[in-house]
Amino acid sequence: MSQQQWNTVDDYLTSLLVPADEALHAALRDSAAAGLPHIAVSPTQGKLLHLLARIQGARRILEIGTLGGYSAIWLGRALPADGRLISLEANAAYADIARANLARAGLAERTEVRVAPALDSLAELVAERAEPFDLVFIDADKPNNPHYLEQVLELTRPGSLIIGDNVVRDGDIADAASTDPSIRGTRRFLELIAENPKLSATAVQTVGTKGYDGFSLARVIE
């Protein structure tokens, strides 16, 4: 199968199952116009995040890696009226774009974008004794994934869901000899999940408009 065929299938599924949405389209358009990297989740992946948050009954969501706010819109729309999404972004310019996109989607009141290196923001949330999050989406710099996981475990509770994006990386995740920091960080992230008796997890390979990749899904069980 080719990338062209994956794109065709994704286009079909998107047209069938993910109706056109101006706020989401505008978020991608404005992010591209501002020169943000084209690495937001695909529409079908965004819808998956939305459904997982709804299935989870999430009232509090934490996102690590905001970019232009596209995935934050999908997650924020899954929240109840009194819900809260906190998204962490290191780049202040990206955060400004994301806030504008979230506001246009009608989510300004239930979302917050914090600007700082994510490890610093996570440490602040731990120090604040933040109420546990029901769902966490980790989609930032991969070398730090193991450290993100360590701090996220202090911000969740039994029943919380932790989603890790981009864990297959064109299949390179299986290369134990890789010196790529993103591969090494992602491998250690998955190893820490596997070693932790408080987590029950799996990982799924995916193909589509974002190429060959995948995501991990872990539930805090105690």
Side-chain angles (χ1 to χ4, degrees), residues 38-85:
H38 185 57
I39 55 174
V41 300
S42 70
T44 51
Q45 291 168 340
K47 185 67 175 289
L48 176 62
L49 289 173
H50 176 84
L51 289 172
L52 287 171
R54 292 293 297 271
I55 292 166
Q56 178 72 355
R59 191 178 64 81
R60 285 177 55 79
I61 297 175
L62 175 63
E63 178 183 51
I64 303 176
T66 313
L67 196 63
Y70 183 76
S71 54
I73 293 173
W74 278 112
L75 290 167
R77 285 177 168 176
L79 289 167
D82 63 344
R84 189 71 172 164
L85 180 146

Side-chain angles (χ1 to χ4, degrees), residues 11-41:
D11 289 345
Y12 166 71
L13 295 175
T14 298
S15 67
L16 188 67
L17 301 172
V18 188
D21 183 290
E22 176 54 29
L24 289 167
H25 174 73
L28 292 177
R29 181 195 64 216
D30 289 359
S31 295
L36 273 63
H38 185 57
I39 55 174
V41 300

Side-chain angles (χ1 to χ4, degrees), residues 108-125:
E109 296 302 317
R110 68 183 72 171
T111 59
E112 175 187 357
V113 181
R114 296 194 179 192
V115 180
L119 289 174
D120 293 345
S121 293
L122 288 167
E124 288 179 1
L125 287 167

